[in-house]
Amino acid sequence: MTASLRLRAAVVSIVLLAVFLGAWHLATRSTGTAANMSPEYAKLMGMTATQGKSAMPGPLDVGAKLWEHLKRPFYDNGPNDKGLGIQLAFSLGRVMLGYLIAVAIAIPLGFLIGMSPLMSKALDPFIQIMKPISPLAWMPLALYTIKDSSLSAIFVIFICSVWPMLINTAFGVASVRKEWINVARTLEVGNVRRAFTVILPAAAPTILTGMRISIGIAWLVIVAAEMLVGGTGIGYFVWNEWNNLSITNVIIAILLIGVVGMVLDQILARVSRLVTFPE
Amino acid sequence: MTDKFISIEGIAKRYDGARSTTIFENLWLGMARGEFVCVIGHSGCGKTTVLNILAGLDVPSEGAVIVDGQAIEGPSLDRAVIFQSHALLPWRTVLGNVAYAISSKWRRWDRAKVKAHALKYIELVGLAGSEHKRPSELSGGMKQRVGIARALSITPKIMLMDEPFSALDALTRGTLQDEVRRICVETGQTVFMITHDVDEAIYLADKIVLMTNGPGAVLAEIVENPLPKDRLRGDLHRHPLYYALRNHIIDFLVSRSKIFTAETPDHDPRKVPVVKIGRTEPTIVASKPVDSDAPQAVAR
């Protein structure tokens, strides 16, 4: 009797998680009184010195803190103390704005490049040079020209998410099967209708792949960008908690960044499945 | 034939490059309305190029093609193409594929009218009940049926078929040939078809055009099909002229297609000889001495 692969995989996952949490707990627990000292001095030194407890929080500390955060995600006690929900919403807002601007520019431009060999060759050197530039390298230039840190972060998201979409759209459009184009030609389908009824559906899976890569990169970059520009957002939260020496909050933020990134990726994977056609 | 519905007038196709090659040149062919013409020739002789020029998908380097009194300028809804690879749009259903063609031809039609018209042709090719399937759910033969329905649904003046059945198994191919023959005889459709299959040509065509090997391919002969118009697949081989016809074509493909240009220097491409297969014509004997090595090898 063999259980389904899914079930067995889930069991292995849970075991691995338990082992990890167990090891974590053992590595960070208190090991008893380390030295004899006066209670007042001990109070001053904290548990690290008095009970041999690691400065690294254990899984139980993180769990308790996480529960606290989840109970009140949207509180706002001023610029340096906002709920995690608010911070995440700021980050998501920036990512969405920069990403949507990138979609609005990359897809039409990708169509142009894919359909015109001339434009493809003419724009290729620019794309090849711009693509490998780390998005954060644009930050000083953006801050200088835009003169607004929040807009600069959005610009950085735009510039990092535009390339995969642009390249994938151009590739998808350029590699639409010749015979499908010929079908449209023999049916005297006009250029605009052909673009929407043949080229777009044929290239949609490739375009969606580009969009999925882009959202992943955008979510990676927003954390770094917000650490630089500060003010709000999950990236700023991580940096702020590091300055507060609250490792527990840093760990929680890391966890949430991962979860949100996964959700964003899964949303695009769903959309991608909608436009994929079997041949 | 006085009524030249389609007239290919001196077309040529050349590829310029470091070594420019002439696929064919000075090609002339006339077709009457309602005629079913098959072109047979080896790969690379330019058959598909001729068909693409007829479809308007390719442009000849020289010459012109006149259809119904008008020179071809690009693709047209008057000339439907059935592609070798069926070329269905995989994200559309059977109905969607046929409806796409119909709504391209009659842009003002509402959805209901387009659908009714599409269903009529889907039924004609025997796919009633499968109209909501996607191409990936269909067998090769069914896909090609959709291709045929799509081509027929726009009621074209000419159907152009590029080896439409070559990717199908023999049984499916036979059934589809029957269907195509039935539909074309019923509707009096003018058809230009490319094939490799001699029996397919004999069964379907009124005229079989033999093309020599490329580069520099020419139309060598136009063979008139002596079999009666109401022929049946099962009776083909009983017809007294069937083997003479078949042997003539096979002889051409096996040996004469290679040496035709060299042996016939006074071949006039504007007056391609029309061959009528008669019972007494000694076609088999005439071309025997060409490859004298082969029989010896068999004798040993």
Side-chain angles (χ1 to χ4, degrees), chain A residues 111-160:
Chain A
F111 253 77
L112 180 71
I113 295 172
M115 290 174 97
S116 152
L118 172 76
M119 292 312 284
S120 167
K121 278 211 159 36
L123 291 176
D124 188 58
F126 298 106
I127 295 173
Q128 294 303 331
I129 290 178
M130 307 278 266
K131 189 178 60 162
I133 298 172
S134 163
L136 292 173
W138 292 97
M139 186 61 99
L141 203 59
L143 286 169
Y144 179 73
T145 35
I146 304 174
K147 296 189 174 64
D148 180 286
S149 63
S150 195
L151 283 180
S152 297
I154 292 167
F155 171 77
V156 166
I157 294 303
F158 159 76
I159 204 84
C160 76

Side-chain angles (χ1 to χ4, degrees), chain A residues 176-177 179-190 193-194 197-199 201-202 275 277-279, chain B residues 55-57 75-79 81 83 85 87-92 100-101 103-104 107 136 150 154:
Chain A
V176 172
R177 291 250 285 274
E179 55 191 33
W180 297 336
I181 305 278
N182 279 346
V183 167
R185 285 178 67 198
T186 57
L187 294 174
E188 294 187 58
V189 173
R193 187 160 178 255
R194 193 200 301 175
T197 57
V198 178
I199 297 171
V275 299
F277 48 84
E279 279 196 54
Chain B
L57 293 171
S76 159
L77 283 157
D78 289 338
R79 286 166 268 128
V81 184
F83 297 88
S85 53
L88 299 180
L89 305 178
W91 54 88
R92 285 174 178 267
Y100 184 63
S103 58
S104 300
R107 287 172 201 198
S136 57
R150 177 171 67 183
I154 55 170

Side-chain angles (χ1 to χ4, degrees), chain A residues 99-111 158 162 165-166 169:
Chain A
Y99 181 75
L100 289 180
I101 296 170
V103 169
I105 289 176
I107 290 178
L109 197 61
F111 253 77
F158 159 76
V162 82
M165 282 193 268
L166 185 67
T169 307

Side-chain angles (χ1 to χ4, degrees), chain B residues 37-273:
Chain B
V37 172
C38 269
V39 177
I40 288 194
H42 286 287
S43 302
C45 74
K47 305 181 300 273
T48 300
T49 313
V50 174
L51 184 129
N52 282 344
I53 290 170
L54 271 171
L57 293 171
D58 206 341
V59 186
S61 312
E62 269 171 35
V65 179
I66 299 184
V67 174
D68 208 8
Q70 271 197 316
I72 285 181
E73 282 168 15
S76 159
L77 283 157
D78 289 338
R79 286 166 268 128
V81 184
I82 296 177
F83 297 88
Q84 182 178 4
S85 53
H86 62 77
L88 299 180
L89 305 178
W91 54 88
R92 285 174 178 267
T93 60
V94 169
L95 181 64
N97 268 285
V98 180
Y100 184 63
I102 295 168
S103 58
S104 300
K105 172 135 187 176
W106 295 285
R107 287 172 201 198
R108 302 240 172 88
W109 283 16
D110 56 57
R111 273 164 174 269
K113 198 170 179 190
V114 168
K115 190 180 173 188
H117 190 80
L119 286 175
K120 195 173 101 190
Y121 283 91
I122 290 169
E123 202 182 318
L124 183 72
V125 296
L127 281 180
S130 302
E131 62 266 19
H132 293 300
K133 286 188 181 156
R134 283 180 196 273
S136 57
E137 301 168 70
L138 303 177
S139 67
M142 287 163 93
K143 281 181 201 161
Q144 201 50 280
R145 279 169 196 263
V146 182
I148 295 168
R150 177 171 67 183
L152 285 170
S153 69
I154 55 170
T155 58
K157 289 180 182 169
I158 313 161
M159 287 236 277
L160 303 166
M161 305 192 197
D162 187 0
E163 300 183 35
F165 311 127
S166 61
L168 307 176
D169 63 278
L171 210 63
T172 318
R173 194 187 306 158
T175 328
L176 271 186
Q177 285 165 357
D178 291 344
E179 302 264 333
V180 163
R181 177 155 178 80
R182 176 179 63 82
I183 292 165
C184 290
V185 169
E186 271 173 18
T187 56
Q189 188 72 51
T190 313
V191 184
F192 181 89
M193 175 164 152
I194 286 172
T195 182
H196 274 121
D197 184 338
V198 176
D199 286 314
E200 181 171 281
I202 295 175
Y203 179 50
L204 292 174
D206 301 317
K207 281 178 183 166
I208 299 158
V209 177
L210 305 179
M211 210 163 165
T212 64
N213 291 4
V218 297
L219 301 186
E221 288 173 1
I222 299 172
V223 182
E224 283 195 358
N225 194 338
L227 303 181
K229 193 91 181 166
D230 57 346
R231 51 188 174 258
L232 292 170
R233 168 184 302 283
D235 292 341
L236 281 187
H237 60 286
R238 297 208 181 84
H239 193 275
L241 293 176
Y242 171 78
Y243 282 106
L245 174 66
R246 194 170 193 279
N247 291 341
H248 183 83
I249 298 171
I250 289 189
D251 277 336
F252 179 85
L253 286 178
V254 170
S255 49
R256 287 177 57 224
S257 61
K258 287 177 224 129
I259 52 164
F260 181 85
T261 328
E263 277 199 340
T264 332
D266 56 343
H267 179 70
D268 181 1
R270 299 194 64 156
K271 292 193 189 100
V272 180

